[in-house]
Amino acid sequence: EIVMTQSPATLSVSPGESATLSCRASQSVSSYLAWYQQKPGQPPRLLLHGASTRATGIPARFSGSGSGTEFTLTISSLQSEDFAVYYCHQYYDWLTFGGGTKVEIK
Amino acid sequence: QVQLQESGPGLVEPSQTLSLTCTVSGGDISSGNYYWSWIRQPAGRGLEWIGRFHTDGSTNSNPSLKSRVTISVDTSRDQFSLRLTSVTAADTALYFCARGNPVSSGRYFFDAWGQGTQVTVSS
């Protein structure tokens, strides 16, 4: 099983600042990597797939990079609605998710 | 726009079988090239993929749960279902159904989710 490790577990950011979230795979997943946003009481929402392709309707302030085992989600100029938990998900070999990064208001 | 809705008992006794149904609207479950999946999330924790049905008729499930999982489909009702046998407290979680959008055979991300249904295993 490919283990996905996200860091940090919690990220404190002020509105308007940028946030950088990391996701590491225990073995290469090529670019078969997606990012989701989840708010309390809601299901996850697809943000990015293929490591860097934004899903329909996702603002340009969300960007992704990386391939192989190291991936990054960057949220530029954080808005109030961006404070949430973010999960990475590999779909290269079976399907596994990272443990999540909570982005909270500083 | 496709919508998914989970339904089923919120409380299951230990050693019994958990049964949930996902109803898909706004799309035909048997058309397209989608992987209709079940995913769960214990309170305060991350996500675990349980299993899926594909429109080619095949099913597959997480090896860690495989012996306990059955996924079935009723295309006439645009529904797919999950049965998880011999449940324990460790199966208590929020259960989601989701649509897997493939980029290649067997490789897919989830682009539509149900709201989730809470299942508690307790006597």
Side-chain angles (χ1 to χ4, degrees):
Chain A
E1 174 181 302
I2 297 177
V3 178
M4 306 300 291
T5 303
Q6 291 187 242
S7 61
T10 303
L11 189 59
S12 298
V13 185
S14 298
E17 294 184 340
S18 65
T20 301
L21 289 66
S22 296
C23 175
R24 173 177 293 177
S26 60
Q27 63 189 76
S28 177
V29 299
S30 185
S31 294
Y32 296 98
L33 192 285
W35 289 94
Y36 302 85
Q37 175 194 69
Q38 187 178 32
K39 298 179 181 179
Q42 296 185 18
R45 172 195 183 197
L46 177 67
L47 297 176
L48 302 166
H49 59 88
S52 61
T53 302
R54 279 189 299 276
T56 303
I58 301 303
R61 65 179 181 272
F62 292 91
S63 62
S65 64
S67 66
T69 62
E70 300 284 344
F71 300 88
T72 299
L73 170 67
T74 301
I75 312 169
S76 61
S77 188
L78 270 152
Q79 306 295 301
S80 58
E81 62 266 29
D82 299 335
F83 293 95
V85 179
Y86 293 83
Y87 293 97
C88 61
H89 158 219
Q90 70 81 18
Y91 47 101
Y92 175 75
D93 183 28
W94 294 93
L95 302 101
T96 52
F97 295 84
T101 291
K102 180 180 181 180
V103 178
E104 64 176 24
I105 300 175
K106 186 175 182 181
Chain B
Q1 181 176 347
V2 69
Q3 293 185 314
L4 299 87
Q5 180 66 58
E6 306 86 352
S7 59
L11 181 64
V12 182
E13 292 187 356
S15 80
Q16 297 302 303
T17 297
L18 178 161
S19 295
L20 297 175
T21 296
C22 181
T23 301
V24 178
S25 58
D28 183 351
I29 194 173
S30 59
S31 67
N33 184 28
Y34 296 113
Y35 292 82
W36 301 96
S37 295
W38 288 98
I39 296 160
R40 69 182 182 179
Q41 183 174 37
R45 296 177 60 185
L47 299 156
E48 179 182 35
W49 175 74
I50 299 170
R52 60 79 172 165
F53 157 79
H54 185 248
T55 50
D56 66 2
S58 66
T59 61
N60 208 341
S61 55
N62 191 320
S64 69
L65 300 169
K66 197 164 191 173
S67 63
R68 299 197 291 133
V69 170
T70 301
I71 294 176
S72 59
V73 62
D74 184 344
T75 56
S76 67
R77 296 185 177 185
D78 286 321
Q79 294 177 334
F80 63 106
S81 299
L82 168 69
R83 280 171 48 89
L84 181 66
T85 61
S86 305
V87 299
T88 69
D91 296 308
T92 294
L94 185 60
Y95 284 74
F96 296 100
C97 56
R99 186 178 76 173
N101 194 338
V103 296
S104 62
S105 178
R107 292 173 172 158
Y108 50 96
F109 54 87
F110 299 106
D111 65 354
W113 296 68
Q115 286 298 308
T117 188
Q118 175 66 38
V119 177
T120 300
V121 178
S122 175
S123 55

